[in-house]
Amino acid sequence: MLRDLWTRVAPAVRRALTFWRRSIQARVVVSTVVLSTVVVGAVGWILLQQTRDGLLDHRVDVVLGEVDAEVSDATDRLEAASGREVNVSRQQRDLVDPIIERGDSRGYSVVLAGPEGEDIPLREGGGEYTSGLDLVSIPQSLEAHFDGANREAAWTYTDIVSKRDGEASSVPGLIVGSQVQLPSDGKTYTLYFLFPLTEDQETLALVTRALLTAAGLLIALVAGLTWLVTRQVVTPIRLARRVAERLAAGRLQERLQVTGEDDIARLAYSFNQMATSLQRQIRQLEELSWVQRRFVSDVSHELRTPLTTVRMASYVLHDAREDFDPATARAAELLQAELDRFENLLIDLLEISRFDAGAAVLAPEDVDLGEVVDRVVAAAQPLADQRGIRVVVEHPEEEVRAEVDSRRVERVLRNLVTNAIDHAMADDPTEVVQVRLASDEEAAAITVRDHGVGLAPGEAAMVFNRFWRSDPARARISGGTGLGLAIAQEDAHLHGGWLQAWGRSGQGAQFRLTLPRRAGVTLRHSPLPLIPEDAVSSDAALGAVVPAPEGER
């Protein structure tokens, strides 16, 4: 049941939390309302306490004055009747009845207890009292105060309990006790006056309602003013965010509307100046990039014609090298090799220019990547044999198929395998270049692992830069142009895939190519890890933690 309830409530909770995180206005308004509620509540509580104390103090003064007047009047009446012979019972009635009559008309009750020292406790039925009054209304502490004669008047708060038609009701009240002496027997009796505080309670309730109403209106006013003020600040910020998003999307002509001369208007003006400056610089960079691409493309095209002529001449010289002296023959061989490398460089420059111009087109088809890997390894085998390096391919049990451009994927793998052979330890019988394939429902991955010189910290993100070399003094074995990995990464991106590198000095390097199995599918993970298992195990043996490299998912 709780799970079903949470399933229904969770979307609303998530939407509320998202709104809370994203809305500055909501957080400011709620925070202000909460703080205002706390402050208004504290001030209201203090005001209520002071009002209550003032009402009670005033009521006590009035009650004590009225009790003094009643006791003085009763004393005068008893002194006036002291010359006549009246029994005790009649004198008690003469004392109490007038007070009870006035109490009924004025809303208070009277209890006569005594004589002191001989009376029965009130809770056991002693005393004369107003009809309907329960004697539990008189606190025992006050009754104990008047045990004995010549006690001073005293008062306290109590609950006045009345019984009407068999039902008991209780109201807060004030009780005052005072002693009088009957002339007939010379004994001291105690009069208890019980005044209900109903009117004061109603007054306090009225003040409480008024304060609550005023507090509610004040908090609503504060919330409204806070919302209005924050709206005036947040609205320009939201507009600036929308314009910034449009600028990030390439709509460089977007600008903020400047209204007024306040800080927000100055911020909008500065924002527009920044956008104009960025637009101007981006256009300059685009023009410069276009000029560079055009220059590379034009030079590459223009060099092909003289290169063809020079290559034809080099063929003639190369074929006739046996008739030359050794130095001239060697020069002819070097000329042929360098012309091959120069032609490859032109081809790579043309390919890079197509990528830069956005003219590269993908021709996907359903391909068995295992066959592509085998062709690449077979083509690189002579270079591996020359360096004394074994190339091992680990095929999975099931064939790995994907919708890719086989020409571009083969070019990527050729670059990775030849680079691994170039940087592996030559003439080492234990040196192995490992090529692994794996796939799942969404992606296919190929890793190329060598155990050569490796990569220094930070170089894994630089190997795909154009013409970058980890060691400029190191000779190229396969005659690369320095653009191979840059083109390989562009080919991977054209497929919607990843080409990532990992390396560590002295432990070799590993490159991972991850491609979606179906064209147009967005990659979320790779079937193979970027960090090799042997590197992870060696770090674990040393007690080190291997951080996830940038781009690893």
Side-chain angles (χ1 to χ4, degrees), residues 90-122:
R90 177 57 182 273
Q91 217 167 38
Q92 290 178 354
R93 301 306 304 173
D94 291 341
L95 172 65
V96 175
D97 288 344
I99 300 177
I100 291 178
E101 290 177 2
R102 284 192 294 271
D104 290 339
S105 62
R106 298 179 183 178
Y108 61 85
S109 303
V110 180
V111 174
L112 176 64
E116 295 301 332
E118 302 176 8
D119 59 334
I120 301 173
L122 294 174

PDB file of all heavy atoms in Angstrom, residues 90-122:
ATOM      1  N   ARG A  90     -28.846  33.102  63.084  1.00  0.00           N
ATOM      2  CA  ARG A  90     -29.487  34.241  62.434  1.00  0.00           C
ATOM      3  C   ARG A  90     -28.459  35.282  62.001  1.00  0.00           C
ATOM      4  O   ARG A  90     -28.553  35.885  60.926  1.00  0.00           O
ATOM      5  CB  ARG A  90     -30.474  34.872  63.416  1.00  0.00           C
ATOM      6  CG  ARG A  90     -31.158  36.137  62.879  1.00  0.00           C
ATOM      7  CD  ARG A  90     -31.884  35.804  61.566  1.00  0.00           C
ATOM      8  NE  ARG A  90     -32.503  37.001  61.027  1.00  0.00           N
ATOM      9  CZ  ARG A  90     -33.732  37.430  61.367  1.00  0.00           C
ATOM     10  NH1 ARG A  90     -34.465  36.722  62.211  1.00  0.00           N
ATOM     11  NH2 ARG A  90     -34.224  38.533  60.850  1.00  0.00           N
ATOM     12  N   GLN A  91     -27.435  35.475  62.833  1.00  0.00           N
ATOM     13  CA  GLN A  91     -26.404  36.447  62.481  1.00  0.00           C
ATOM     14  C   GLN A  91     -25.606  35.994  61.241  1.00  0.00           C
ATOM     15  O   GLN A  91     -25.199  36.812  60.406  1.00  0.00           O
ATOM     16  CB  GLN A  91     -25.464  36.650  63.679  1.00  0.00           C
ATOM     17  CG  GLN A  91     -25.016  38.089  63.796  1.00  0.00           C
ATOM     18  CD  GLN A  91     -24.351  38.384  65.121  1.00  0.00           C
ATOM     19  OE1 GLN A  91     -23.613  37.551  65.647  1.00  0.00           O
ATOM     20  NE2 GLN A  91     -24.610  39.557  65.665  1.00  0.00           N
ATOM     21  N   GLN A  92     -25.363  34.685  61.110  1.00  0.00           N
ATOM     22  CA  GLN A  92     -24.682  34.169  59.920  1.00  0.00           C
ATOM     23  C   GLN A  92     -25.499  34.437  58.666  1.00  0.00           C
ATOM     24  O   GLN A  92     -24.979  34.828  57.618  1.00  0.00           O
ATOM     25  CB  GLN A  92     -24.428  32.663  60.067  1.00  0.00           C
ATOM     26  CG  GLN A  92     -23.369  32.315  61.107  1.00  0.00           C
ATOM     27  CD  GLN A  92     -23.193  30.812  61.251  1.00  0.00           C
ATOM     28  OE1 GLN A  92     -23.939  30.047  60.642  1.00  0.00           O
ATOM     29  NE2 GLN A  92     -22.232  30.406  62.069  1.00  0.00           N
ATOM     30  N   ARG A  93     -26.848  34.220  58.768  1.00  0.00           N
ATOM     31  CA  ARG A  93     -27.702  34.465  57.619  1.00  0.00           C
ATOM     32  C   ARG A  93     -27.720  35.960  57.268  1.00  0.00           C
ATOM     33  O   ARG A  93     -27.694  36.320  56.093  1.00  0.00           O
ATOM     34  CB  ARG A  93     -29.129  33.999  57.905  1.00  0.00           C
ATOM     35  CG  ARG A  93     -29.269  32.512  58.243  1.00  0.00           C
ATOM     36  CD  ARG A  93     -28.658  31.621  57.180  1.00  0.00           C
ATOM     37  NE  ARG A  93     -29.241  31.887  55.861  1.00  0.00           N
ATOM     38  CZ  ARG A  93     -28.805  31.352  54.744  1.00  0.00           C
ATOM     39  NH1 ARG A  93     -27.749  30.529  54.784  1.00  0.00           N
ATOM     40  NH2 ARG A  93     -29.388  31.605  53.599  1.00  0.00           N
ATOM     41  N   ASP A  94     -27.770  36.783  58.331  1.00  0.00           N
ATOM     42  CA  ASP A  94     -27.737  38.223  58.073  1.00  0.00           C
ATOM     43  C   ASP A  94     -26.434  38.645  57.403  1.00  0.00           C
ATOM     44  O   ASP A  94     -26.404  39.641  56.659  1.00  0.00           O
ATOM     45  CB  ASP A  94     -27.917  38.992  59.380  1.00  0.00           C
ATOM     46  CG  ASP A  94     -29.326  38.831  59.950  1.00  0.00           C
ATOM     47  OD1 ASP A  94     -30.230  38.449  59.162  1.00  0.00           O
ATOM     48  OD2 ASP A  94     -29.510  39.065  61.160  1.00  0.00           O
ATOM     49  N   LEU A  95     -25.381  37.917  57.692  1.00  0.00           N
ATOM     50  CA  LEU A  95     -24.085  38.244  57.094  1.00  0.00           C
ATOM     51  C   LEU A  95     -24.007  37.798  55.629  1.00  0.00           C
ATOM     52  O   LEU A  95     -23.571  38.542  54.754  1.00  0.00           O
ATOM     53  CB  LEU A  95     -22.950  37.583  57.905  1.00  0.00           C
ATOM     54  CG  LEU A  95     -21.542  37.663  57.315  1.00  0.00           C
ATOM     55  CD1 LEU A  95     -21.074  39.120  57.258  1.00  0.00           C
ATOM     56  CD2 LEU A  95     -20.567  36.829  58.148  1.00  0.00           C
ATOM     57  N   VAL A  96     -24.480  36.586  55.368  1.00  0.00           N
ATOM     58  CA  VAL A  96     -24.238  35.985  54.053  1.00  0.00           C
ATOM     59  C   VAL A  96     -25.300  36.360  53.038  1.00  0.00           C
ATOM     60  O   VAL A  96     -24.996  36.638  51.862  1.00  0.00           O
ATOM     61  CB  VAL A  96     -24.150  34.448  54.190  1.00  0.00           C
ATOM     62  CG1 VAL A  96     -24.025  33.794  52.818  1.00  0.00           C
ATOM     63  CG2 VAL A  96     -22.979  34.074  55.064  1.00  0.00           C
ATOM     64  N   ASP A  97     -26.579  36.391  53.436  1.00  0.00           N
ATOM     65  CA  ASP A  97     -27.651  36.550  52.447  1.00  0.00           C
ATOM     66  C   ASP A  97     -27.524  37.833  51.622  1.00  0.00           C
ATOM     67  O   ASP A  97     -27.686  37.792  50.389  1.00  0.00           O
ATOM     68  CB  ASP A  97     -29.008  36.510  53.161  1.00  0.00           C
ATOM     69  CG  ASP A  97     -29.356  35.096  53.643  1.00  0.00           C
ATOM     70  OD1 ASP A  97     -28.688  34.153  53.149  1.00  0.00           O
ATOM     71  OD2 ASP A  97     -30.259  34.935  54.480  1.00  0.00           O
ATOM     72  N   PRO A  98     -27.270  39.009  52.257  1.00  0.00           N
ATOM     73  CA  PRO A  98     -27.136  40.204  51.404  1.00  0.00           C
ATOM     74  C   PRO A  98     -25.984  40.085  50.389  1.00  0.00           C
ATOM     75  O   PRO A  98     -26.102  40.549  49.260  1.00  0.00           O
ATOM     76  CB  PRO A  98     -26.877  41.323  52.418  1.00  0.00           C
ATOM     77  CG  PRO A  98     -27.452  40.827  53.694  1.00  0.00           C
ATOM     78  CD  PRO A  98     -27.193  39.361  53.701  1.00  0.00           C
ATOM     79  N   ILE A  99     -24.883  39.474  50.828  1.00  0.00           N
ATOM     80  CA  ILE A  99     -23.737  39.342  49.902  1.00  0.00           C
ATOM     81  C   ILE A  99     -24.084  38.406  48.757  1.00  0.00           C
ATOM     82  O   ILE A  99     -23.738  38.635  47.592  1.00  0.00           O
ATOM     83  CB  ILE A  99     -22.502  38.834  50.673  1.00  0.00           C
ATOM     84  CG1 ILE A  99     -22.130  39.831  51.789  1.00  0.00           C
ATOM     85  CG2 ILE A  99     -21.329  38.646  49.727  1.00  0.00           C
ATOM     86  CD1 ILE A  99     -20.975  39.377  52.642  1.00  0.00           C
ATOM     87  N   ILE A 100     -24.817  37.305  49.089  1.00  0.00           N
ATOM     88  CA  ILE A 100     -25.204  36.357  48.039  1.00  0.00           C
ATOM     89  C   ILE A 100     -26.137  37.019  47.040  1.00  0.00           C
ATOM     90  O   ILE A 100     -26.025  36.823  45.817  1.00  0.00           O
ATOM     91  CB  ILE A 100     -25.856  35.113  48.666  1.00  0.00           C
ATOM     92  CG1 ILE A 100     -24.799  34.304  49.434  1.00  0.00           C
ATOM     93  CG2 ILE A 100     -26.507  34.256  47.601  1.00  0.00           C
ATOM     94  CD1 ILE A 100     -25.353  33.087  50.126  1.00  0.00           C
ATOM     95  N   GLU A 101     -27.087  37.836  47.524  1.00  0.00           N
ATOM     96  CA  GLU A 101     -28.010  38.515  46.626  1.00  0.00           C
ATOM     97  C   GLU A 101     -27.251  39.453  45.679  1.00  0.00           C
ATOM     98  O   GLU A 101     -27.524  39.490  44.470  1.00  0.00           O
ATOM     99  CB  GLU A 101     -29.035  39.298  47.443  1.00  0.00           C
ATOM    100  CG  GLU A 101     -30.013  38.406  48.191  1.00  0.00           C
ATOM    101  CD  GLU A 101     -30.966  39.211  49.057  1.00  0.00           C
ATOM    102  OE1 GLU A 101     -30.849  40.463  49.013  1.00  0.00           O
ATOM    103  OE2 GLU A 101     -31.806  38.618  49.736  1.00  0.00           O
ATOM    104  N   ARG A 102     -26.314  40.229  46.251  1.00  0.00           N
ATOM    105  CA  ARG A 102     -25.546  41.119  45.377  1.00  0.00           C
ATOM    106  C   ARG A 102     -24.650  40.324  44.431  1.00  0.00           C
ATOM    107  O   ARG A 102     -24.433  40.713  43.292  1.00  0.00           O
ATOM    108  CB  ARG A 102     -24.701  42.083  46.231  1.00  0.00           C
ATOM    109  CG  ARG A 102     -25.534  43.210  46.847  1.00  0.00           C
ATOM    110  CD  ARG A 102     -24.622  44.283  47.418  1.00  0.00           C
ATOM    111  NE  ARG A 102     -23.849  43.793  48.548  1.00  0.00           N
ATOM    112  CZ  ARG A 102     -24.272  43.839  49.806  1.00  0.00           C
ATOM    113  NH1 ARG A 102     -25.473  44.333  50.100  1.00  0.00           N
ATOM    114  NH2 ARG A 102     -23.518  43.418  50.795  1.00  0.00           N
ATOM    115  N   GLY A 103     -24.117  39.192  44.948  1.00  0.00           N
ATOM    116  CA  GLY A 103     -23.275  38.363  44.086  1.00  0.00           C
ATOM    117  C   GLY A 103     -24.041  37.791  42.912  1.00  0.00           C
ATOM    118  O   GLY A 103     -23.519  37.699  41.783  1.00  0.00           O
ATOM    119  N   ASP A 104     -25.315  37.400  43.150  1.00  0.00           N
ATOM    120  CA  ASP A 104     -26.110  36.869  42.050  1.00  0.00           C
ATOM    121  C   ASP A 104     -26.339  37.919  40.979  1.00  0.00           C
ATOM    122  O   ASP A 104     -26.357  37.618  39.775  1.00  0.00           O
ATOM    123  CB  ASP A 104     -27.451  36.354  42.581  1.00  0.00           C
ATOM    124  CG  ASP A 104     -27.284  35.094  43.429  1.00  0.00           C
ATOM    125  OD1 ASP A 104     -26.236  34.424  43.254  1.00  0.00           O
ATOM    126  OD2 ASP A 104     -28.178  34.790  44.243  1.00  0.00           O
ATOM    127  N   SER A 105     -26.523  39.160  41.432  1.00  0.00           N
ATOM    128  CA  SER A 105     -26.760  40.228  40.449  1.00  0.00           C
ATOM    129  C   SER A 105     -25.477  40.679  39.771  1.00  0.00           C
ATOM    130  O   SER A 105     -25.506  41.180  38.646  1.00  0.00           O
ATOM    131  CB  SER A 105     -27.450  41.420  41.128  1.00  0.00           C
ATOM    132  OG  SER A 105     -26.597  41.951  42.140  1.00  0.00           O
ATOM    133  N   ARG A 106     -24.339  40.543  40.453  1.00  0.00           N
ATOM    134  CA  ARG A 106     -23.060  41.007  39.889  1.00  0.00           C
ATOM    135  C   ARG A 106     -22.211  39.883  39.301  1.00  0.00           C
ATOM    136  O   ARG A 106     -21.131  40.140  38.786  1.00  0.00           O
ATOM    137  CB  ARG A 106     -22.262  41.744  40.965  1.00  0.00           C
ATOM    138  CG  ARG A 106     -22.982  42.997  41.486  1.00  0.00           C
ATOM    139  CD  ARG A 106     -22.151  43.673  42.556  1.00  0.00           C
ATOM    140  NE  ARG A 106     -22.868  44.832  43.112  1.00  0.00           N
ATOM    141  CZ  ARG A 106     -22.396  45.598  44.091  1.00  0.00           C
ATOM    142  NH1 ARG A 106     -21.193  45.323  44.606  1.00  0.00           N
ATOM    143  NH2 ARG A 106     -23.100  46.615  44.552  1.00  0.00           N
ATOM    144  N   GLY A 107     -22.652  38.628  39.448  1.00  0.00           N
ATOM    145  CA  GLY A 107     -21.965  37.532  38.779  1.00  0.00           C
ATOM    146  C   GLY A 107     -20.896  36.857  39.587  1.00  0.00           C
ATOM    147  O   GLY A 107     -20.014  36.212  39.007  1.00  0.00           O
ATOM    148  N   TYR A 108     -20.865  36.986  40.888  1.00  0.00           N
ATOM    149  CA  TYR A 108     -19.875  36.250  41.664  1.00  0.00           C
ATOM    150  C   TYR A 108     -20.596  35.420  42.720  1.00  0.00           C
ATOM    151  O   TYR A 108     -21.778  35.603  43.003  1.00  0.00           O
ATOM    152  CB  TYR A 108     -18.853  37.187  42.320  1.00  0.00           C
ATOM    153  CG  TYR A 108     -19.408  38.188  43.299  1.00  0.00           C
ATOM    154  CD1 TYR A 108     -19.618  37.840  44.636  1.00  0.00           C
ATOM    155  CD2 TYR A 108     -19.690  39.497  42.908  1.00  0.00           C
ATOM    156  CE1 TYR A 108     -20.119  38.759  45.538  1.00  0.00           C
ATOM    157  CE2 TYR A 108     -20.185  40.412  43.796  1.00  0.00           C
ATOM    158  CZ  TYR A 108     -20.403  40.052  45.119  1.00  0.00           C
ATOM    159  OH  TYR A 108     -20.901  40.964  46.005  1.00  0.00           O
ATOM    160  N   SER A 109     -19.849  34.469  43.340  1.00  0.00           N
ATOM    161  CA  SER A 109     -20.411  33.555  44.335  1.00  0.00           C
ATOM    162  C   SER A 109     -19.734  33.786  45.676  1.00  0.00           C
ATOM    163  O   SER A 109     -18.592  34.299  45.743  1.00  0.00           O
ATOM    164  CB  SER A 109     -20.202  32.095  43.903  1.00  0.00           C
ATOM    165  OG  SER A 109     -20.780  31.867  42.625  1.00  0.00           O
ATOM    166  N   VAL A 110     -20.438  33.376  46.773  1.00  0.00           N
ATOM    167  CA  VAL A 110     -19.929  33.594  48.128  1.00  0.00           C
ATOM    168  C   VAL A 110     -20.049  32.295  48.914  1.00  0.00           C
ATOM    169  O   VAL A 110     -21.036  31.570  48.788  1.00  0.00           O
ATOM    170  CB  VAL A 110     -20.705  34.711  48.847  1.00  0.00           C
ATOM    171  CG1 VAL A 110     -20.156  34.905  50.261  1.00  0.00           C
ATOM    172  CG2 VAL A 110     -20.631  36.011  48.058  1.00  0.00           C
ATOM    173  N   VAL A 111     -19.015  32.012  49.720  1.00  0.00           N
ATOM    174  CA  VAL A 111     -19.024  30.851  50.617  1.00  0.00           C
ATOM    175  C   VAL A 111     -18.597  31.334  52.004  1.00  0.00           C
ATOM    176  O   VAL A 111     -17.595  32.059  52.135  1.00  0.00           O
ATOM    177  CB  VAL A 111     -18.080  29.741  50.115  1.00  0.00           C
ATOM    178  CG1 VAL A 111     -18.001  28.608  51.140  1.00  0.00           C
ATOM    179  CG2 VAL A 111     -18.521  29.223  48.764  1.00  0.00           C
ATOM    180  N   LEU A 112     -19.352  30.944  53.028  1.00  0.00           N
ATOM    181  CA  LEU A 112     -19.020  31.288  54.414  1.00  0.00           C
ATOM    182  C   LEU A 112     -18.551  30.023  55.123  1.00  0.00           C
ATOM    183  O   LEU A 112     -19.248  29.011  55.144  1.00  0.00           O
ATOM    184  CB  LEU A 112     -20.241  31.856  55.139  1.00  0.00           C
ATOM    185  CG  LEU A 112     -20.038  32.177  56.631  1.00  0.00           C
ATOM    186  CD1 LEU A 112     -18.997  33.283  56.805  1.00  0.00           C
ATOM    187  CD2 LEU A 112     -21.368  32.544  57.281  1.00  0.00           C
ATOM    188  N   ALA A 113     -17.349  30.061  55.670  1.00  0.00           N
ATOM    189  CA  ALA A 113     -16.779  28.915  56.380  1.00  0.00           C
ATOM    190  C   ALA A 113     -16.408  29.342  57.795  1.00  0.00           C
ATOM    191  O   ALA A 113     -15.947  30.465  58.021  1.00  0.00           O
ATOM    192  CB  ALA A 113     -15.557  28.387  55.645  1.00  0.00           C
ATOM    193  N   GLY A 114     -16.578  28.443  58.747  1.00  0.00           N
ATOM    194  CA  GLY A 114     -16.181  28.755  60.125  1.00  0.00           C
ATOM    195  C   GLY A 114     -17.143  28.116  61.126  1.00  0.00           C
ATOM    196  O   GLY A 114     -18.065  27.381  60.756  1.00  0.00           O
ATOM    197  N   PRO A 115     -16.968  28.393  62.402  1.00  0.00           N
ATOM    198  CA  PRO A 115     -15.863  29.218  62.926  1.00  0.00           C
ATOM    199  C   PRO A 115     -14.521  28.499  62.802  1.00  0.00           C
ATOM    200  O   PRO A 115     -14.458  27.288  62.811  1.00  0.00           O
ATOM    201  CB  PRO A 115     -16.267  29.435  64.377  1.00  0.00           C
ATOM    202  CG  PRO A 115     -17.072  28.240  64.717  1.00  0.00           C
ATOM    203  CD  PRO A 115     -17.832  27.870  63.476  1.00  0.00           C
ATOM    204  N   GLU A 116     -13.472  29.301  62.684  1.00  0.00           N
ATOM    205  CA  GLU A 116     -12.143  28.736  62.490  1.00  0.00           C
ATOM    206  C   GLU A 116     -11.745  27.916  63.701  1.00  0.00           C
ATOM    207  O   GLU A 116     -11.928  28.343  64.848  1.00  0.00           O
ATOM    208  CB  GLU A 116     -11.119  29.843  62.240  1.00  0.00           C
ATOM    209  CG  GLU A 116     -11.346  30.621  60.953  1.00  0.00           C
ATOM    210  CD  GLU A 116     -11.310  29.744  59.741  1.00  0.00           C
ATOM    211  OE1 GLU A 116     -10.627  28.697  59.771  1.00  0.00           O
ATOM    212  OE2 GLU A 116     -11.973  30.089  58.732  1.00  0.00           O
ATOM    213  N   GLY A 117     -11.206  26.765  63.447  1.00  0.00           N
ATOM    214  CA  GLY A 117     -10.787  25.848  64.486  1.00  0.00           C
ATOM    215  C   GLY A 117     -11.864  24.846  64.858  1.00  0.00           C
ATOM    216  O   GLY A 117     -11.573  23.816  65.459  1.00  0.00           O
ATOM    217  N   GLU A 118     -13.145  25.163  64.501  1.00  0.00           N
ATOM    218  CA  GLU A 118     -14.233  24.259  64.845  1.00  0.00           C
ATOM    219  C   GLU A 118     -15.024  23.836  63.603  1.00  0.00           C
ATOM    220  O   GLU A 118     -15.949  23.037  63.702  1.00  0.00           O
ATOM    221  CB  GLU A 118     -15.196  24.943  65.834  1.00  0.00           C
ATOM    222  CG  GLU A 118     -14.522  25.401  67.115  1.00  0.00           C
ATOM    223  CD  GLU A 118     -15.497  26.148  68.017  1.00  0.00           C
ATOM    224  OE1 GLU A 118     -16.708  26.132  67.668  1.00  0.00           O
ATOM    225  OE2 GLU A 118     -15.063  26.723  69.021  1.00  0.00           O
ATOM    226  N   ASP A 119     -14.713  24.428  62.459  1.00  0.00           N
ATOM    227  CA  ASP A 119     -15.523  24.185  61.264  1.00  0.00           C
ATOM    228  C   ASP A 119     -15.195  22.850  60.625  1.00  0.00           C
ATOM    229  O   ASP A 119     -14.137  22.266  60.838  1.00  0.00           O
ATOM    230  CB  ASP A 119     -15.326  25.327  60.266  1.00  0.00           C
ATOM    231  CG  ASP A 119     -13.865  25.458  59.879  1.00  0.00           C
ATOM    232  OD1 ASP A 119     -12.998  25.069  60.678  1.00  0.00           O
ATOM    233  OD2 ASP A 119     -13.584  25.943  58.755  1.00  0.00           O
ATOM    234  N   ILE A 120     -16.149  22.406  59.848  1.00  0.00           N
ATOM    235  CA  ILE A 120     -15.966  21.187  59.047  1.00  0.00           C
ATOM    236  C   ILE A 120     -15.318  21.601  57.718  1.00  0.00           C
ATOM    237  O   ILE A 120     -15.698  22.620  57.130  1.00  0.00           O
ATOM    238  CB  ILE A 120     -17.315  20.510  58.785  1.00  0.00           C
ATOM    239  CG1 ILE A 120     -17.979  20.149  60.124  1.00  0.00           C
ATOM    240  CG2 ILE A 120     -17.159  19.284  57.920  1.00  0.00           C
ATOM    241  CD1 ILE A 120     -19.389  19.628  59.970  1.00  0.00           C
ATOM    242  N   PRO A 121     -14.328  20.861  57.223  1.00  0.00           N
ATOM    243  CA  PRO A 121     -13.713  21.217  55.932  1.00  0.00           C
ATOM    244  C   PRO A 121     -14.774  21.364  54.845  1.00  0.00           C
ATOM    245  O   PRO A 121     -15.769  20.631  54.802  1.00  0.00           O
ATOM    246  CB  PRO A 121     -12.767  20.053  55.650  1.00  0.00           C
ATOM    247  CG  PRO A 121     -12.440  19.513  57.014  1.00  0.00           C
ATOM    248  CD  PRO A 121     -13.687  19.681  57.820  1.00  0.00           C
ATOM    249  N   LEU A 122     -14.548  22.338  53.980  1.00  0.00           N
ATOM    250  CA  LEU A 122     -15.538  22.626  52.947  1.00  0.00           C
ATOM    251  C   LEU A 122     -15.797  21.425  52.042  1.00  0.00           C
ATOM    252  O   LEU A 122     -16.920  21.195  51.599  1.00  0.00           O
ATOM    253  CB  LEU A 122     -15.063  23.827  52.109  1.00  0.00           C
ATOM    254  CG  LEU A 122     -15.000  25.169  52.867  1.00  0.00           C
ATOM    255  CD1 LEU A 122     -14.383  26.238  51.971  1.00  0.00           C
ATOM    256  CD2 LEU A 122     -16.384  25.588  53.328  1.00  0.00           C
TER     257      LEU A 122
END
